[in-house]
Amino acid sequence: MPELPEVETVRLGLLPVLEGHTLTQVETRRGDLRIPFPRDFAARLRGRRVKTLRRRAKYLLADLDSGETLVIHLGMSGRMSVYAEGKQRRIGNYVYDKAPQGAGTGKHDHVVFETDAPARIVFNDHRRFGLMTLVETAHLDDDKLFKDIGIEPLSPGFTAKYLTAALDGKKTPIKSALLDQRLVAGLGNIYVCEALFRAGISPKRLAGAVKQDQIAALVTAIKKVLKDAIAAGGSTLRDHAQATGDPGNFQHHFLVYGREGLPCKSKCPGTVKRIVQAGRSTFYCPKCQT
DNA sequence: CCATTAACCTGACAGC
DNA sequence: TGCTGTCAGGTTAATG
C-alpha cells in the first residue's frame, strides 16, 4: 500500500493510538521480514513511550523515549490495522473496531503491538517486502536507509528550481527519474503516472530534456495529486487499507493509472496506453502528453 | 558513476 | 476444479 499518500494515511490513523502512548507488549511472529529484526527487537520496544510518529519518504518513524526510532516500511502489501481493546472506541478523530477473534494470529500477521490507548496494532504483510528496524534517533539521517533519500515533495523546498537541478543532464526517462527516491522521496508508480498526465509530460521524455515550464507544471501536479490522495485516504487497489480498516478512495480519481484502452479524460481524442519502463507499467495518453 | 534488469515473496486473476 | 502464466503499490544487488 505503499506510496507516500498511503503511508501518510496510515500514519494519521495510527497517531491517536501511538503518539504519546506506551507500547505495553510487542510480539514478532517470525524472525524476519525483508530483513531480519534487530537483536532484542521486542524487548527494546516494550515499555517505551512513542514521543512522535513521523513519516519520511515511504517510512513511518516512531521516535521512542529510549532514544531509538522504530522504523517501519510497508513494502508492497504491508498493513497496520488498529483494533480497540474490548469494544469499539473513538480515540481522537478515529473510530476503531474491537479486535475480531484471532486478530494478530493470521498467517501473515508478523508483528503485534499492544498500547495503553488501549489498542492492538497488527502488522500484516503477505509479500513480506516490508521491514521494521530500530535506529538511534540522533543518527537517523546518516543511517543507510535514509542517507541518500531525496527531498519531501510536499515540503516548501520542493520547487521547480530544485527539480530542474535534480533532473539536469539525466538521460533516463522522466518516469524512471521520478521513481528514484534519491531525487524525490515518496513517489511510486501510481502517482508518477498521474502527475505526468496532469502536467502533460510524456513519460518517455528524457529527464534532462523536460522544458522549464513543464517542470513547473510537474511540481504543481505532484503536490496537488499527493495532497488530494491523502485527503481521500490513499488509493486501494488490493492491499491498502487505512489503520481503521477502511479502504482509500483515490483510485476513483485516477486519470490514467489502470485505464489502458480507455478514452483520455482530458477531452482529447486519445486513448490511454500502457507501456513498460524499467520493468514497471506506465499509463499515459500519447496524444496530450508530450 | 550511470542506467537497466532480475530477484525478493505471496496472492489474485485470466485463460485453458 | 485445477493447472499455468502473468501481474501487483517497492527496493536493491548484480550486471553491462
Side-chain angles (χ1 to χ4, degrees):
Chain A
M1 28 157 112
E3 302 184 41
L4 186 154
E6 289 72 37
V7 178
E8 182 64 15
T9 295
V10 170
R11 186 184 76 86
L12 294 172
L14 290 174
L15 225 30
V17 296
L18 266 188
E19 200 166 83
H21 287 285
T22 297
L23 301 173
T24 52
Q25 191 59 248
V26 178
E27 180 194 7
T28 55
R29 305 187 65 251
R30 51 175 297 128
D32 63 79
L33 297 172
R34 195 176 86 216
I35 61 173
F37 290 107
R39 178 184 48 82
D40 300 328
F41 178 73
R44 284 152 74 183
L45 292 172
R46 203 173 302 132
R48 303 273 59 105
R49 185 174 156 277
V50 176
K51 296 200 293 184
T52 54
L53 182 65
R54 303 180 281 150
R55 179 191 56 73
R56 173 78 171 110
K58 298 170 192 167
Y59 293 86
L60 289 169
L61 305 174
D63 298 326
L64 309 172
D65 62 1
S66 59
E68 293 193 298
T69 294
L70 168 62
V71 176
I72 302 172
H73 195 289
L74 300 171
M76 289 277 253
S77 55
R79 279 188 185 197
M80 295 285 271
S81 303
V82 176
Y83 302 106
E85 182 62 43
K87 60 176 182 15
Q88 185 188 73
R89 293 171 197 260
R90 166 181 287 277
I91 307 175
N93 292 322
Y94 290 81
V95 175
Y96 305 100
D97 287 335
K98 76 168 189 179
Q101 192 67 29
T105 62
K107 183 178 177 189
H108 300 295
D109 293 340
H110 304 312
V111 186
V112 181
F113 304 88
E114 307 278 352
T115 88
D116 63 357
R120 179 185 306 172
I121 304 169
V122 178
F123 174 75
N124 176 286
D125 182 11
H126 66 87
R127 291 181 75 183
R128 238 180 300 129
F129 288 160
L131 69 83
M132 283 194 203
T133 192
L134 286 162
V135 176
E136 274 190 68
T137 307
H139 300 140
L140 203 67
D141 293 342
D142 309 319
D143 188 86
K144 172 173 176 253
L145 289 173
F146 300 102
K147 65 181 172 58
D148 294 323
I149 300 270
I151 195 167
E152 286 291 325
L154 292 177
S155 72
F158 182 61
T159 61
K161 185 179 174 188
Y162 170 89
L163 191 56
T164 301
L167 298 178
D168 184 46
K170 287 227 163 287
K171 285 172 39 191
T172 193
I174 184 68
K175 160 75 188 316
S176 305
L178 292 176
L179 286 175
D180 185 342
Q181 302 296 299
R182 295 172 301 183
L183 300 190
V184 188
L187 297 178
N189 210 34
I190 291 177
Y191 298 104
V192 165
C193 290
E194 292 296 319
L196 285 172
F197 175 80
R198 284 158 170 77
I201 301 169
S202 168
K204 295 194 279 193
R205 175 160 298 251
L206 297 192
V210 181
K211 297 190 185 67
Q212 195 57 47
D213 60 329
Q214 288 185 313
I215 293 183
L218 181 55
V219 168
T220 303
I222 288 171
K223 288 179 189 274
K224 170 113 169 73
V225 74
L226 293 177
K227 281 183 193 166
D228 289 352
I230 292 168
S235 303
T236 296
L237 298 188
R238 25 171 66 84
D239 297 315
H240 169 63
Q242 307 187 44
T244 51
D246 298 314
N249 288 306
F250 195 72
Q251 66 277 11
H252 303 304
H253 301 280
F254 291 169
L255 299 181
V256 284
Y257 190 87
R259 298 192 65 252
E260 180 181 16
L262 296 174
C264 175
K265 291 221 175 189
S266 81
K267 52 191 164 186
C268 94
T271 299
V272 176
K273 196 177 169 192
R274 182 178 84 94
I275 58 174
V276 175
Q277 295 179 287
R280 320 283 309 274
S281 286
T282 298
F283 298 90
Y284 75 112
C285 172
K287 280 265 192 298
C288 60
Q289 289 179 256
T290 58

